[in-house]
PDB file of all heavy atoms in Angstrom:
ATOM      1  N   THR A 128      -5.582  10.837   1.734  1.00  0.00           N
ATOM      2  CA  THR A 128      -6.081  11.687   2.809  1.00  0.00           C
ATOM      3  C   THR A 128      -6.092  10.889   4.110  1.00  0.00           C
ATOM      4  O   THR A 128      -5.862   9.673   4.095  1.00  0.00           O
ATOM      5  CB  THR A 128      -7.510  12.158   2.484  1.00  0.00           C
ATOM      6  OG1 THR A 128      -8.352  11.009   2.345  1.00  0.00           O
ATOM      7  CG2 THR A 128      -7.549  12.972   1.203  1.00  0.00           C
ATOM      8  N   PRO A 129      -6.380  11.512   5.260  1.00  0.00           N
ATOM      9  CA  PRO A 129      -6.546  10.730   6.488  1.00  0.00           C
ATOM     10  C   PRO A 129      -7.571   9.608   6.321  1.00  0.00           C
ATOM     11  O   PRO A 129      -8.543   9.736   5.571  1.00  0.00           O
ATOM     12  CB  PRO A 129      -7.004  11.790   7.498  1.00  0.00           C
ATOM     13  CG  PRO A 129      -6.332  13.046   7.036  1.00  0.00           C
ATOM     14  CD  PRO A 129      -6.395  12.962   5.529  1.00  0.00           C
ATOM     15  N   ASN A 130      -7.352   8.518   7.040  1.00  0.00           N
ATOM     16  CA  ASN A 130      -8.118   7.286   6.848  1.00  0.00           C
ATOM     17  C   ASN A 130      -9.625   7.476   6.831  1.00  0.00           C
ATOM     18  O   ASN A 130     -10.331   6.915   5.989  1.00  0.00           O
ATOM     19  CB  ASN A 130      -7.762   6.283   7.957  1.00  0.00           C
ATOM     20  CG  ASN A 130      -6.289   5.997   8.048  1.00  0.00           C
ATOM     21  OD1 ASN A 130      -5.557   6.156   7.078  1.00  0.00           O
ATOM     22  ND2 ASN A 130      -5.831   5.586   9.216  1.00  0.00           N
ATOM     23  N   ALA A 131     -10.135   8.253   7.771  1.00  0.00           N
ATOM     24  CA  ALA A 131     -11.585   8.383   7.914  1.00  0.00           C
ATOM     25  C   ALA A 131     -12.225   9.133   6.750  1.00  0.00           C
ATOM     26  O   ALA A 131     -13.453   9.090   6.591  1.00  0.00           O
ATOM     27  CB  ALA A 131     -11.919   9.076   9.232  1.00  0.00           C
ATOM     28  N   LEU A 132     -11.422   9.795   5.947  1.00  0.00           N
ATOM     29  CA  LEU A 132     -11.944  10.543   4.802  1.00  0.00           C
ATOM     30  C   LEU A 132     -11.974   9.712   3.525  1.00  0.00           C
ATOM     31  O   LEU A 132     -12.529  10.150   2.518  1.00  0.00           O
ATOM     32  CB  LEU A 132     -11.107  11.808   4.582  1.00  0.00           C
ATOM     33  CG  LEU A 132     -10.947  12.738   5.796  1.00  0.00           C
ATOM     34  CD1 LEU A 132     -10.134  13.974   5.408  1.00  0.00           C
ATOM     35  CD2 LEU A 132     -12.298  13.141   6.362  1.00  0.00           C
ATOM     36  N   HIS A 133     -11.377   8.523   3.551  1.00  0.00           N
ATOM     37  CA  HIS A 133     -11.309   7.693   2.345  1.00  0.00           C
ATOM     38  C   HIS A 133     -12.692   7.294   1.843  1.00  0.00           C
ATOM     39  O   HIS A 133     -12.951   7.311   0.633  1.00  0.00           O
ATOM     40  CB  HIS A 133     -10.515   6.407   2.625  1.00  0.00           C
ATOM     41  CG  HIS A 133      -9.064   6.641   2.883  1.00  0.00           C
ATOM     42  ND1 HIS A 133      -8.207   5.626   3.258  1.00  0.00           N
ATOM     43  CD2 HIS A 133      -8.299   7.773   2.831  1.00  0.00           C
ATOM     44  CE1 HIS A 133      -6.987   6.110   3.430  1.00  0.00           C
ATOM     45  NE2 HIS A 133      -7.025   7.408   3.178  1.00  0.00           N
ATOM     46  N   HIS A 134     -13.556   6.896   2.747  1.00  0.00           N
ATOM     47  CA  HIS A 134     -14.862   6.340   2.385  1.00  0.00           C
ATOM     48  C   HIS A 134     -15.649   7.290   1.498  1.00  0.00           C
ATOM     49  O   HIS A 134     -16.057   6.934   0.380  1.00  0.00           O
ATOM     50  CB  HIS A 134     -15.633   6.008   3.665  1.00  0.00           C
ATOM     51  CG  HIS A 134     -17.016   5.503   3.460  1.00  0.00           C
ATOM     52  ND1 HIS A 134     -18.137   6.327   3.534  1.00  0.00           N
ATOM     53  CD2 HIS A 134     -17.490   4.268   3.189  1.00  0.00           C
ATOM     54  CE1 HIS A 134     -19.221   5.602   3.319  1.00  0.00           C
ATOM     55  NE2 HIS A 134     -18.866   4.354   3.109  1.00  0.00           N
ATOM     56  N   ASN A 135     -15.844   8.503   1.959  1.00  0.00           N
ATOM     57  CA  ASN A 135     -16.626   9.471   1.191  1.00  0.00           C
ATOM     58  C   ASN A 135     -15.926   9.838  -0.113  1.00  0.00           C
ATOM     59  O   ASN A 135     -16.570   9.947  -1.168  1.00  0.00           O
ATOM     60  CB  ASN A 135     -16.862  10.725   2.027  1.00  0.00           C
ATOM     61  CG  ASN A 135     -17.708  11.754   1.307  1.00  0.00           C
ATOM     62  OD1 ASN A 135     -18.838  11.485   0.919  1.00  0.00           O
ATOM     63  ND2 ASN A 135     -17.159  12.955   1.125  1.00  0.00           N
ATOM     64  N   ALA A 136     -14.606  10.005  -0.049  1.00  0.00           N
ATOM     65  CA  ALA A 136     -13.870  10.413  -1.249  1.00  0.00           C
ATOM     66  C   ALA A 136     -13.933   9.356  -2.340  1.00  0.00           C
ATOM     67  O   ALA A 136     -14.166   9.663  -3.517  1.00  0.00           O
ATOM     68  CB  ALA A 136     -12.420  10.709  -0.888  1.00  0.00           C
ATOM     69  N   VAL A 137     -13.719   8.104  -1.975  1.00  0.00           N
ATOM     70  CA  VAL A 137     -13.745   7.030  -2.973  1.00  0.00           C
ATOM     71  C   VAL A 137     -15.119   6.915  -3.618  1.00  0.00           C
ATOM     72  O   VAL A 137     -15.236   6.750  -4.845  1.00  0.00           O
ATOM     73  CB  VAL A 137     -13.326   5.689  -2.321  1.00  0.00           C
ATOM     74  CG1 VAL A 137     -13.645   4.516  -3.251  1.00  0.00           C
ATOM     75  CG2 VAL A 137     -11.845   5.715  -1.987  1.00  0.00           C
ATOM     76  N   ILE A 138     -16.163   7.021  -2.814  1.00  0.00           N
ATOM     77  CA  ILE A 138     -17.513   6.909  -3.366  1.00  0.00           C
ATOM     78  C   ILE A 138     -17.801   8.079  -4.309  1.00  0.00           C
ATOM     79  O   ILE A 138     -18.385   7.900  -5.396  1.00  0.00           O
ATOM     80  CB  ILE A 138     -18.547   6.822  -2.237  1.00  0.00           C
ATOM     81  CG1 ILE A 138     -18.394   5.477  -1.506  1.00  0.00           C
ATOM     82  CG2 ILE A 138     -19.967   6.983  -2.779  1.00  0.00           C
ATOM     83  CD1 ILE A 138     -19.281   5.322  -0.286  1.00  0.00           C
ATOM     84  N   ARG A 139     -17.381   9.278  -3.952  1.00  0.00           N
ATOM     85  CA  ARG A 139     -17.601  10.435  -4.827  1.00  0.00           C
ATOM     86  C   ARG A 139     -16.829  10.298  -6.140  1.00  0.00           C
ATOM     87  O   ARG A 139     -17.342  10.619  -7.218  1.00  0.00           O
ATOM     88  CB  ARG A 139     -17.199  11.731  -4.111  1.00  0.00           C
ATOM     89  CG  ARG A 139     -18.196  12.191  -3.072  1.00  0.00           C
ATOM     90  CD  ARG A 139     -17.718  13.436  -2.348  1.00  0.00           C
ATOM     91  NE  ARG A 139     -17.612  14.602  -3.229  1.00  0.00           N
ATOM     92  CZ  ARG A 139     -17.171  15.795  -2.818  1.00  0.00           C
ATOM     93  NH1 ARG A 139     -16.755  15.947  -1.559  1.00  0.00           N
ATOM     94  NH2 ARG A 139     -17.116  16.811  -3.653  1.00  0.00           N
ATOM     95  N   VAL A 140     -15.581   9.817  -6.050  1.00  0.00           N
ATOM     96  CA  VAL A 140     -14.791   9.630  -7.274  1.00  0.00           C
ATOM     97  C   VAL A 140     -15.431   8.562  -8.154  1.00  0.00           C
ATOM     98  O   VAL A 140     -15.496   8.701  -9.379  1.00  0.00           O
ATOM     99  CB  VAL A 140     -13.335   9.269  -6.930  1.00  0.00           C
ATOM    100  CG1 VAL A 140     -12.570   8.892  -8.193  1.00  0.00           C
ATOM    101  CG2 VAL A 140     -12.647  10.440  -6.232  1.00  0.00           C
ATOM    102  N   ALA A 141     -15.908   7.496  -7.535  1.00  0.00           N
ATOM    103  CA  ALA A 141     -16.564   6.436  -8.301  1.00  0.00           C
ATOM    104  C   ALA A 141     -17.797   6.969  -9.015  1.00  0.00           C
ATOM    105  O   ALA A 141     -18.045   6.642 -10.191  1.00  0.00           O
ATOM    106  CB  ALA A 141     -16.948   5.283  -7.373  1.00  0.00           C
ATOM    107  N   MET A 142     -18.570   7.785  -8.326  1.00  0.00           N
ATOM    108  CA  MET A 142     -19.769   8.375  -8.939  1.00  0.00           C
ATOM    109  C   MET A 142     -19.408   9.308 -10.083  1.00  0.00           C
ATOM    110  O   MET A 142     -20.214   9.540 -10.980  1.00  0.00           O
ATOM    111  CB  MET A 142     -20.584   9.111  -7.874  1.00  0.00           C
ATOM    112  CG  MET A 142     -21.212   8.178  -6.846  1.00  0.00           C
ATOM    113  SD  MET A 142     -22.120   9.059  -5.541  1.00  0.00           S
ATOM    114  CE  MET A 142     -23.464   9.787  -6.496  1.00  0.00           C
ATOM    115  N   ALA A 143     -18.174   9.837 -10.058  1.00  0.00           N
ATOM    116  CA  ALA A 143     -17.693  10.678 -11.156  1.00  0.00           C
ATOM    117  C   ALA A 143     -17.118   9.839 -12.294  1.00  0.00           C
ATOM    118  O   ALA A 143     -16.567  10.389 -13.260  1.00  0.00           O
ATOM    119  CB  ALA A 143     -16.646  11.662 -10.641  1.00  0.00           C
ATOM    120  N   LYS A 144     -17.228   8.506 -12.151  1.00  0.00           N
ATOM    121  CA  LYS A 144     -16.826   7.558 -13.206  1.00  0.00           C
ATOM    122  C   LYS A 144     -15.325   7.563 -13.474  1.00  0.00           C
ATOM    123  O   LYS A 144     -14.880   7.372 -14.614  1.00  0.00           O
ATOM    124  CB  LYS A 144     -17.585   7.865 -14.511  1.00  0.00           C
ATOM    125  CG  LYS A 144     -19.098   7.809 -14.378  1.00  0.00           C
ATOM    126  CD  LYS A 144     -19.591   6.411 -14.025  1.00  0.00           C
ATOM    127  CE  LYS A 144     -21.111   6.345 -13.981  1.00  0.00           C
ATOM    128  NZ  LYS A 144     -21.604   4.985 -13.624  1.00  0.00           N
ATOM    129  N   LYS A 145     -14.548   7.752 -12.419  1.00  0.00           N
ATOM    130  CA  LYS A 145     -13.105   7.649 -12.535  1.00  0.00           C
ATOM    131  C   LYS A 145     -12.620   6.463 -11.711  1.00  0.00           C
ATOM    132  O   LYS A 145     -13.176   6.138 -10.664  1.00  0.00           O
ATOM    133  CB  LYS A 145     -12.415   8.930 -12.035  1.00  0.00           C
ATOM    134  CG  LYS A 145     -12.865  10.199 -12.760  1.00  0.00           C
ATOM    135  CD  LYS A 145     -12.500  10.181 -14.247  1.00  0.00           C
ATOM    136  CE  LYS A 145     -12.917  11.493 -14.934  1.00  0.00           C
ATOM    137  NZ  LYS A 145     -12.586  11.491 -16.380  1.00  0.00           N
ATOM    138  N   HIS A 146     -11.546   5.809 -12.183  1.00  0.00           N
ATOM    139  CA  HIS A 146     -10.924   4.755 -11.395  1.00  0.00           C
ATOM    140  C   HIS A 146     -10.357   5.360 -10.113  1.00  0.00           C
ATOM    141  O   HIS A 146     -10.018   6.548 -10.064  1.00  0.00           O
ATOM    142  CB  HIS A 146      -9.796   4.084 -12.171  1.00  0.00           C
ATOM    143  CG  HIS A 146     -10.259   3.389 -13.418  1.00  0.00           C
ATOM    144  ND1 HIS A 146     -11.215   2.401 -13.416  1.00  0.00           N
ATOM    145  CD2 HIS A 146      -9.883   3.551 -14.719  1.00  0.00           C
ATOM    146  CE1 HIS A 146     -11.406   1.966 -14.648  1.00  0.00           C
ATOM    147  NE2 HIS A 146     -10.621   2.657 -15.457  1.00  0.00           N
ATOM    148  N   VAL A 147     -10.233   4.529  -9.075  1.00  0.00           N
ATOM    149  CA  VAL A 147      -9.752   5.020  -7.788  1.00  0.00           C
ATOM    150  C   VAL A 147      -8.573   4.180  -7.301  1.00  0.00           C
ATOM    151  O   VAL A 147      -8.621   2.950  -7.339  1.00  0.00           O
ATOM    152  CB  VAL A 147     -10.848   4.986  -6.711  1.00  0.00           C
ATOM    153  CG1 VAL A 147     -10.404   5.795  -5.494  1.00  0.00           C
ATOM    154  CG2 VAL A 147     -12.175   5.499  -7.233  1.00  0.00           C
ATOM    155  N   ILE A 148      -7.542   4.866  -6.846  1.00  0.00           N
ATOM    156  CA  ILE A 148      -6.480   4.241  -6.058  1.00  0.00           C
ATOM    157  C   ILE A 148      -6.577   4.869  -4.680  1.00  0.00           C
ATOM    158  O   ILE A 148      -6.630   6.091  -4.557  1.00  0.00           O
ATOM    159  CB  ILE A 148      -5.086   4.496  -6.668  1.00  0.00           C
ATOM    160  CG1 ILE A 148      -5.034   3.993  -8.108  1.00  0.00           C
ATOM    161  CG2 ILE A 148      -4.008   3.824  -5.826  1.00  0.00           C
ATOM    162  CD1 ILE A 148      -3.792   4.441  -8.870  1.00  0.00           C
TER     163      ILE A 148
END
Side-chain angles (χ1 to χ4, degrees):
T128 60
N130 305 336
L132 306 182
H133 292 175
H134 177 263
N135 182 59
V137 167
I138 291 175
R139 284 177 65 182
V140 172
M142 292 178 66
K144 302 296 184 181
K145 303 296 182 181
H146 297 303
V147 193
I148 303 169

